[in-house]
Amino acid sequence: MACPENMFFLIGLFMSGVLACFGQRDLFATIPDRLDVLTGSCIQIPCSFDIPDQHKDTFNSTIRTTGVWIKENPDFGLHPDNVIFNSSETVNRFQGKITGNMSQKNCTTVFFNVTTNYTRYFFRIESQPFRATDTGKSVDIVVMAFPSSPIITVSGEVKEGTPVSLNCSAVAPCPEHPPELTWTLPTQFTTENQLQENPDQTKSVLSTVTFTPSYLHHEQNITCTAVYPVGASNKRAEHNMMLNVSFSPKDTSASISPADPALMGSCVNLTCNSTSNPPVTNFTWFKISEGKPAQVASGLSYTLNVTVGDGGLYFCEARNSHGRGKSKEVWLTIKGQEETVTTMVFGIAAGTLGVLLLISLISVIGWRRNSRLHDGLERTDNPQGQNSPVNTVCANQATAGEEPEEPAENQSEEIQYGDIDFSKLRPKETPAAAQDRVQGQESEYAEVNVTGRRDKVQHLNNLDGLYAQVNK
Ligand SMILES: *[C@@H]1O[C@H](CO)[C@@H](O)[C@H](O)[C@H]1NC(C)=O
Ligand SMILES: *[C@@H]1O[C@H](CO)[C@@H](O)[C@H](O)[C@H]1NC(C)=O
Ligand SMILES: *[C@@H]1O[C@H](CO)[C@@H](O)[C@H](O)[C@H]1NC(C)=O
Ligand SMILES: *[C@@H]1O[C@H](CO)[C@@H](O)[C@H](O)[C@H]1NC(C)=O
Ligand SMILES: *[C@@H]1O[C@H](CO)[C@@H](O)[C@H](O)[C@H]1NC(C)=O
Ligand SMILES: *[C@@H]1O[C@H](CO)[C@@H](O)[C@H](O)[C@H]1NC(C)=O
Ligand SMILES: *[C@@H]1O[C@H](CO)[C@@H](O)[C@H](O)[C@H]1NC(C)=O
Ligand SMILES: *[C@@H]1O[C@H](CO)[C@@H](O)[C@H](O)[C@H]1NC(C)=O
Ligand SMILES: *[C@@H]1O[C@H](CO)[C@@H](O)[C@H](O)[C@H]1NC(C)=O
Ligand SMILES: *[C@@H]1O[C@H](CO)[C@@H](O)[C@H](O)[C@H]1NC(C)=O
Ligand SMILES: *[C@@H]1O[C@H](CO)[C@@H](O)[C@H](O)[C@H]1NC(C)=O
Ligand SMILES: *[C@@H]1O[C@H](CO)[C@@H](O)[C@H](O)[C@H]1NC(C)=O
């Protein structure tokens, strides 16, 4: 019939290739290419057959039809032992039965206790007068010592607060004893199990679990376990999966560093912390002014060179594609303004006075430092700074503390000592403040030596004491 011209060439190569040639098959069996079976378990071979047109007249379906399974080589004449199952026989090499209705051309067969590994099996029918073997199609039955893992599938994104369904599917080669599927989840759930038919007519057990994920379940494991009954014992296989729950920013908090009340002219770092999936794309800083939040900056951290108006309530907001998280409000207290925060009545009068004093003191220090240090300090540190002019010094101090550079150290040492001459400030000092003069001078030394971070902290503490006393 419609055989290729090189048929004779093919004969030399593949016997089955020729036999599979269209028109040469005397029987069409529809069976899977391959089936995996647990050793000692049963296997159901989905099977149906059809009679080619040229034999339709010889086949009479009302006559009892025998089903035969032949292993390895369909030519059982030479190898009679290859006939492993004959539905007309009571004793066979393979225990089994044809469960399909042969009158309806359903040759579905179940073999019990399969132990022979990795062999091709061919199907044959014997009727009156029609008999034929499908030599062009066979099924490989692979015997496995352990079941294969079930498969978990997730459709779409797992989002916090949105119920999600996951499927777990496990093959059921022996549908009479299907595997039992169980889930392990970090939360409450409901499941629904059913036996499903795959496109190749084999069976699977499908378990669908439904639960509502929370952000606490992110990166938690879920497990689907399949337990296969084999004889008197069980064999298990499982699939582990880490949940990837997407959620809006959580645990958002704002922190101020250093935590102590800030000195005017000093650097204060406000940092926002948050966890989210996917990561935060945008941090925004707000200050409460006149009772309303006003945006003051964006970015993970907000560094301020403190001025009079900077004291107050701040909070940050973190945002990702799923939403936003707001931190609690934090107080940025300014040294000398603390009282206005706690005792409002006294604060306004005393605070204003204190602030004025502070401003004059700081402007003197600032002016003097600027005029004297400008050349040495700023030029030395500028190569590392790419920040805005206002925060140039703030940013540089942090950087310099982390990466000490020899030239900067040496240069600053030259100018450090005796830079601030507190004797010139004395006219403005209160007697109490004057007592701290010596200490203040020491700390000024430390402050100018910008590479010493710990000294800087000490300096701030010392000056804090100084200003506190100025205010009293
Ligand atoms: C099929 O066989 C039955 C008897 O077994 C017979 O009565 C019937 O005529 C046959 N059909 C055909 C088409 O040969
Ligand atoms: C199947 O068994 C029947 C009845 O014993 C026998 O006639 C037939 O030859 C057997 N078929 C094969 C392929 O062995
Ligand atoms: C064939 O028989 C099997 C076993 O009885 C049954 O599960 C299957 O649905 C039948 N197939 C068809 C196509 O009827
Ligand atoms: C098999 O199919 C035939 C024809 O459809 C029907 O008459 C017979 O009762 C069926 N046998 C069984 C066991 O279901
Ligand atoms: C399965 O077959 C093995 C060896 O072929 C035998 O030892 C075992 O008893 C059989 N089990 C059952 C349940 O028939
Ligand atoms: C059966 O054969 C396959 C392929 O060679 C192998 O992977 C598998 O481990 C074998 N099974 C047993 C139980 O020996
Ligand atoms: C789970 O399986 C059902 C039935 O096959 C299907 O409709 C659904 O889309 C599947 N869901 C997932 C998450 O794979
Ligand atoms: C999740 O599963 C992996 C792999 O099985 C394991 O290494 C990890 O410890 C598990 N994590 C948790 C939180 O149980
Ligand atoms: C988890 O989900 C997020 C958002 O859908 C995605 O960006 C990320 O790549 C996922 N991570 C993993 C490990 O799959
Ligand atoms: C703060 O800004 C003032 C004026 O721009 C500057 O003189 C001072 O050095 C800065 N202080 C710090 C610690 O950066
Ligand atoms: C972050 O959000 C603020 C407020 O909507 C906006 O002004 C700013 O441009 C955003 N920044 C980025 C990097 O998206
Ligand atoms: C502020 O804090 C953040 C986070 O701790 C840090 O990365 C940044 O360098 C700090 N900035 C300054 C100027 O100290």
Side-chain angles (χ1 to χ4, degrees):
M1 282 177 92
C3 273
E5 284 171 26
N6 57 355
M7 188 176 92
F8 296 106
F9 171 66
L10 283 173
I11 285 171
L13 285 178
F14 310 98
M15 201 55 189
S16 63
V18 174
L19 293 166
C21 176
F22 183 77
Q24 296 301 106
R25 283 164 79 182
D26 294 323
L27 179 69
F28 295 118
T30 304
I31 47 180
D33 292 327
R34 175 188 161 139
L35 291 170
D36 289 357
V37 58
L38 268 174
T39 179
S41 181
C42 93
I43 177 97
Q44 175 170 300
I45 306 167
C47 176
S48 64
F49 66 89
D50 210 351
I51 312 294
D53 286 343
Q54 73 268 29
H55 299 306
K56 281 253 157 80
D57 296 341
T58 22
F59 180 70
N60 187 336
S61 67
T62 60
I63 295 170
R64 206 176 84 95
T65 305
T66 300
V68 176
W69 288 95
I70 303 152
K71 71 169 183 180
E72 284 164 20
N73 190 329
D75 188 1
F76 62 93
L78 292 171
H79 311 277
D81 283 353
N82 283 0
V83 176
I84 52 104
F85 182 84
N86 180 337
S87 65
S88 293
E89 302 277 356
T90 45
V91 177
N92 282 294
R93 294 192 51 190
F94 274 32
Q95 295 171 270
K97 69 172 184 218
I98 291 181
T99 56
N101 187 336
M102 288 289 278
S103 307
Q104 294 174 342
K105 297 179 181 157
N106 184 340
C107 46
T108 299
T109 306
V110 175
F111 289 132
F112 309 110
N113 195 7
V114 178
T115 50
T116 311
N117 195 15
Y118 212 64
T119 311
R120 299 191 297 166
Y121 296 88
F122 294 89
F123 185 66
R124 173 179 173 82
I125 59 167
E126 295 186 343
S127 182
Q128 283 298 338
F130 185 73
R131 323 175 147 221
T133 305
D134 187 352
T135 49
K137 178 71 189 169
S138 63
V139 55
D140 288 341
I141 297 181
V142 182
V143 177
M144 312 291 269
F146 301 100
S148 54
S149 293
I151 292 159
I152 298 180
T153 51
V154 185
S155 67
E157 201 178 5
V158 180
K159 283 187 218 166
E160 62 169 344
T162 307
V164 66
S165 290
L166 310 185
N167 280 352
C168 178
S169 165
V171 293
C174 176
E176 285 174 33
H177 304 288
E180 193 181 312
L181 297 187
T182 52
W183 289 89
T184 311
L185 256 74
T187 183
Q188 284 193 317
F189 57 91
T190 57
T191 58
E192 205 183 289
N193 292 11
Q194 67 190 83
L195 195 63
Q196 273 207 325
E197 195 168 90
N198 301 316
D200 67 356
Q201 324 268 260
T202 58
K203 301 282 163 70
S204 287
V205 175
L206 176 76
S207 179
T208 304
V209 71
T210 306
F211 70 104
T212 304
S214 111
Y215 76 101
L216 298 169
H217 303 142
H218 181 53
E219 292 183 341
Q220 296 265 312
N221 282 341
I222 60 170
T223 308
C224 175
T225 308
V227 177
Y228 289 85
V230 179
S233 65
N234 286 331
K235 287 189 179 174
R236 21 188 328 125
E238 60 179 38
H239 186 160
N240 252 306
M241 198 185 86
M242 200 179 263
L243 278 174
N244 184 0
V245 182
S246 48
F247 58 93
S248 63
K250 293 286 181 305
D251 304 328
T252 307
S253 66
S255 61
I256 300 179
S257 160
D260 300 326
L263 276 177
M264 261 181 275
S266 72
C267 291
V268 168
N269 199 358
L270 294 141
T271 304
C272 198
N273 269 303
S274 190
T275 59
S276 75
N277 181 36
V280 172
T281 52
N282 193 330
F283 288 101
T284 314
W285 285 96
F286 295 90
K287 185 183 182 207
I288 310 280
S289 55
E290 290 161 10
K292 280 186 280 183
Q295 190 184 323
V296 289
S298 60
L300 174 71
S301 66
Y302 171 35
T303 304
L304 291 153
N305 178 341
V306 175
T307 62
V308 183
D310 286 338
L313 277 174
Y314 289 81
F315 70 90
C316 67
E317 190 187 82
R319 214 186 302 166
N320 72 358
S321 48
H322 287 269
R324 54 187 73 192
K326 194 164 114 22
S327 75
K328 281 194 178 138
E329 288 155 1
V330 289
W331 271 108
L332 174 60
T333 47
I334 304 211
K335 194 80 201 170
Q337 288 183 345
E338 306 132 294
E339 277 108 58
T340 63
V341 169
T342 49
T343 58
M344 282 302 239
V345 184
F346 180 74
I348 291 163
T352 313
L353 197 68
V355 165
L356 283 174
L357 263 165
L358 254 168
I359 292 166
S360 51
L361 190 61
I362 278 163
S363 52
V364 171
I365 294 172
W367 173 80
R368 293 191 64 85
R369 196 187 299 161
N370 267 354
S371 56
R372 295 202 183 186
L373 298 190
H374 195 267
D375 288 347
L377 193 65
E378 291 223 320
R379 197 179 52 222
T380 305
D381 287 343
N382 259 352
Q384 291 179 349
Q386 313 99 337
N387 297 275
S388 62
V390 174
N391 287 327
T392 299
V393 181
C394 286
N396 280 345
Q397 275 171 344
T399 318
E402 279 150 20
E403 300 170 34
E405 283 204 351
E406 288 302 324
E409 219 167 63
N410 294 339
Q411 223 168 328
S412 61
E413 240 165 70
E414 283 169 30
I415 45 163
Q416 61 200 324
Y417 205 73
D419 172 52
I420 302 293
D421 187 355
F422 269 76
S423 59
K424 300 238 171 86
L425 292 174
R426 214 172 286 169
K428 285 183 177 178
E429 281 176 355
T430 64
Q435 288 169 4
D436 282 323
R437 187 160 41 86
V438 176
Q439 211 185 349
Q441 243 167 343
E442 278 172 11
S443 52
E444 193 58 32
Y445 171 98
E447 206 260 332
V448 175
N449 185 6
V450 287
T451 53
R453 206 181 218 181
R454 223 176 300 157
D455 290 347
K456 163 75 175 166
V457 172
Q458 197 188 342
H459 150 72
L460 289 172
N461 290 341
N462 289 339
L463 277 192
D464 283 358
L466 175 62
Y467 292 133
Q469 282 166 21
V470 168
N471 285 330
K472 277 170 191 165

